[in-house]
């Protein structure tokens, strides 16, 4: 029987259990995108705490793709080198390190949540004083005063008051695709095993997917095929540099939660997601991490335990997902797409039931991992799961004390 502590085998990667730390921004870099001791301890503790996969926060593929000046980044080799000790530590704990590759698009250049999440006044990044020489690189490492943000269709976006906005032309599209490709290559050098492309929550790739924010009339806007084109091209670029043995995940918003709203004629729905899932599966994506919303202030999402699970469950049932549960040596998902569920998952028994009842293949846990970095160990205790030789799963350093 497949349950929370059965390994998840994808390609040649074996994840020891079905629990992942959901990506969570820490806004704890200086203004250079480099990880700090905070990231090492924060991610490292969750690996010690029994997570099967530890995903980083949204990590910007280029400086303009940061939500705030304090976001983590992977736009230079220096970033890769700085992340390496973190992936090494996570692996030493038996956990799988993953990175969420992100571009904030129109939602970039904000102050931190605890500083009001306010638009920052536009500065020099990508703007007129970015003259392409080394001093521009210096500028990109700062950005404390804000920068020009990228958007598929500036006039369509539901929020007002942003700093200067750039409607992406073909060159910008190419730049973004190449930034994802280079970021993936560096992530590999840094020792990450899973690459997750962030295409959810109203950030750049989701802004292209949804007709609410994409009003373009070129080959990147209009029809479903056109709106999904950028994500497909980014996915292709990442998959090209990511080894065949290792998994690629994509996080999507399963729906915009805007259906029926009078002010919005057309929107991204669960039906769109099922269709997208099939396309991504064909491009070599291994797992769809199904979140939702984040695009529009008038969204009306349900809340509470398992609130987004039905989205994951439907995509799992209706897309090309082929799960061959129980096969021990082969990847379970060689022929299809696995699905991750996230949102309001806080209890071990609840998480176990999601896997046992085949509603999802992986559970991603966010806030509960902030409350309890050892959620994975607590789950093993509560579900009475033992280590290989019959002892508790707690790390050897703690074992005698916690028994
Ligand atoms: C988040 N979330 C999030 N999602 C994402 O895809 N990339 C990110 O960087 C972040 N950042 C982030 C920061 C913080 C502090 C929180 C609480 C959340 C969303 C998160 O991954 C998750 O989907 C939601 O929190 C819902 O799951 P839980 O918290 O109910 O388990």
């Amino acid at each position: 029987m497949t349950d929370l502590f059965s390994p998840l085998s994808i390609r040649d990667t074996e994840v020891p259990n079905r629990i992942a730390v959901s990506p969570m921004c820490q806004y704890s870099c200086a203004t250079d995108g480099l990880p700090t001791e905070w990231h090492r301890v924060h991610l490292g503790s969750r690996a010690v705490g029994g997570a099967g996969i530890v995903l980083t926060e949204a990590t910007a593929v280029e400086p303009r793709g940061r939500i705030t000046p304090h976001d983590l980044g992977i736009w230079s080799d220096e970033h890769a080198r700085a992340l390496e000790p973190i992936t090494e530590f996570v692996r030493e704990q038996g956990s799988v390190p993953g990175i969420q590759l992100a571009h904030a698009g129109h939602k970039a250049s904000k102050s931190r949540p605890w500083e009001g999440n306010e638009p920052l006044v536009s500065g020099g990044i990508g703007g007129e004083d970015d003259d392409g020489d080394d001093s521009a690189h210096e500028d990109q490492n700062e950005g404390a005063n804000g920068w020009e943000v990228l958007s598929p269709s500036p006039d369509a976006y539901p929020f007002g008051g942003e700093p200067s906005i750039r409607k992406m032309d073909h060159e910008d599209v190419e730049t973004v695709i190449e930034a994802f490709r280079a970021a993936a290559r560096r992530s590999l050098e840094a020792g990450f095993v899973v690459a997750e492309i962030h295409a959810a929550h109203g950030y750049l790739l989701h802004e292209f997917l949804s007709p609410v924010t994409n009003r373009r009339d070129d080959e990147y806007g209009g029809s479903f095929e056109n709106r999904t084109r950028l994500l497909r091209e980014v996915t292709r670029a990442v998959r090209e540099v990511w080894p065949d043995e290792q998994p690629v995940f994509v996080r999507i918003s399963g729906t915009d939660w805007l259906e029926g709203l009078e002010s919005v004629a057309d929107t991204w729905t669960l039906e769109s997601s099922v269709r997208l899932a099939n396309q991504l599966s064909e491009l070599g994506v291994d797992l769809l991490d199904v979140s939702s919303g984040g695009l529009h202030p008038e969204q009306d999402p349900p809340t509470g335990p398992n609130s987004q699970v039905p989205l994951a469950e439907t995509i799992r049932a209706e897309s090309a997902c082929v799960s061959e549960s129980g096969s021990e040596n082969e990847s379970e998902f060689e022929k299809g797409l696995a699905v991750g569920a996230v949102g309001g998952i806080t209890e071990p028994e609840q998480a176990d039931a999601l896997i046992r009842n085949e509603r999802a293949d992986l559970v991603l846990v966010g806030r509960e991992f902030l409350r309890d970095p050892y959620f994975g160990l607590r789950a093993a205790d509560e579900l009475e799961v033992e280590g290989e030789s019959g002892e508790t799963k707690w790390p050897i350093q703690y074992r005698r004390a916690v028994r």
Side-chain angles (χ1 to χ4, degrees):
M1 185 173 59
T2 306
D3 58 26
L4 196 60
F5 283 89
S6 53
L8 174 63
S9 170
I10 302 181
R11 297 181 182 249
D12 288 350
T13 298
E14 180 148 306
V15 182
N17 60 54
R18 306 302 179 109
I19 307 169
V21 178
S22 201
M24 283 181 285
C25 286
Q26 299 298 297
Y27 310 109
S28 295
C29 301
T31 54
D32 52 12
L34 290 167
T36 61
E37 283 304 294
W38 177 266
H39 297 91
R40 188 132 81 126
V41 174
H42 168 72
L43 297 167
S45 319
R46 273 95 199 143
V48 171
I53 301 177
V54 175
L55 284 165
T56 67
E57 66 197 77
T59 305
V61 297
E62 63 155 326
R64 287 179 300 186
R66 293 172 295 170
I67 304 166
T68 81
H70 304 282
D71 289 19
L72 192 61
I74 181 127
W75 61 81
S76 82
D77 293 346
E78 191 185 351
H79 292 89
R81 281 192 295 275
L83 285 161
E84 206 173 345
I86 299 179
T87 63
E88 218 173 282
F89 182 82
V90 168
R91 260 200 313 249
E92 277 166 16
Q93 310 315 310
S95 186
V96 174
I99 184 166
Q100 190 183 51
L101 300 172
H103 196 300
H106 203 136
K107 286 172 80 171
S109 191
K110 299 280 199 302
S111 64
R112 292 185 276 203
W114 54 85
E115 294 163 343
N117 198 27
E118 296 292 334
L120 297 172
V121 177
S122 179
I125 296 181
E128 283 172 12
D129 53 30
D130 180 356
D131 54 10
D133 62 18
D134 280 352
S135 63
H137 180 71
E138 298 277 305
D139 290 344
Q140 289 178 350
N141 278 340
E142 295 296 334
N145 296 322
W147 56 90
E148 185 183 55
V149 305
L150 297 184
S151 174
S153 318
D155 46 343
Y157 198 69
F159 301 107
E162 295 89 353
S164 62
I165 305 161
R166 179 181 177 88
K167 179 177 175 183
M168 287 172 70
D169 59 22
H170 281 111
E171 213 180 308
D172 296 320
V173 167
E174 217 32 60
T175 302
V176 165
I177 295 168
E178 289 314 310
F180 271 97
R181 186 198 306 276
R185 194 180 293 119
R186 290 190 195 104
S187 301
L188 195 62
E189 282 163 14
F192 287 101
V193 175
V194 173
E196 172 166 290
I197 299 166
H198 193 356
H201 302 167
Y203 297 112
L204 187 71
L205 296 174
H206 185 190
E207 286 161 12
F208 272 81
L209 292 177
S210 176
V212 176
T213 39
N214 183 345
R215 308 267 173 86
R216 297 174 73 94
D217 55 11
D218 63 0
E219 68 267 38
Y220 291 96
S223 67
F224 176 86
E225 285 303 313
N226 284 356
R227 283 182 281 110
T228 57
R229 189 181 307 279
L230 179 59
L231 175 57
R232 284 185 280 119
E233 290 180 350
V234 163
T235 301
R236 222 176 262 124
V238 169
R239 190 73 262 183
E240 270 167 23
V241 298
W242 208 248
D244 279 349
E245 301 76 38
Q246 293 178 211
V248 171
F249 296 179
V250 175
R251 172 167 274 199
I252 60 163
S253 283
T255 170
D256 290 339
W257 298 122
L258 295 170
E259 270 173 286
L261 196 71
E262 269 180 30
S263 57
V264 173
D266 197 9
T267 172
W268 184 263
T269 63
L270 181 54
E271 206 183 346
S272 325
S273 295
V274 171
R275 212 170 145 193
L276 177 68
N278 290 323
Q279 290 189 338
L280 294 178
S281 175
E282 280 172 22
L283 293 173
V285 170
D286 302 291
L287 183 139
L288 203 63
D289 169 5
V290 183
S291 185
S292 67
L295 189 84
H296 195 287
E298 289 180 65
Q299 65 178 7
D300 188 17
T303 53
N306 289 350
S307 54
Q308 298 177 143
V309 170
L311 301 172
E313 190 177 12
T314 302
I315 293 171
R316 194 177 187 278
E318 294 185 13
S319 72
C321 169
V322 179
S323 165
E324 296 173 351
S325 315
S327 63
E328 281 185 9
N329 299 320
E330 284 174 37
S331 163
E332 282 176 50
F333 301 103
E334 253 167 4
K335 300 191 197 78
L337 192 67
V339 172
V342 63
I345 302 168
T346 57
E347 295 301 326
E349 172 49 35
Q350 174 196 11
D352 193 46
L354 292 178
I355 304 297
R356 204 174 53 242
N357 298 327
E358 300 191 358
R359 301 184 72 190
D361 305 292
L362 180 75
V363 294
L364 293 103
V365 175
R367 289 163 295 174
E368 191 57 24
F369 256 122
L370 297 185
R371 294 182 198 104
D372 177 6
Y374 298 156
F375 174 76
L377 296 174
R378 175 158 69 85
D381 274 356
E382 282 187 31
L383 298 170
E384 298 183 356
V385 176
E386 294 177 336
E388 264 169 31
S389 27
E391 75 282 345
T392 163
K393 279 186 174 287
W394 285 76
I396 192 124
Q397 294 91 334
Y398 297 173
R399 206 170 290 164
R400 284 170 305 134
V402 296
R403 269 245 128 150

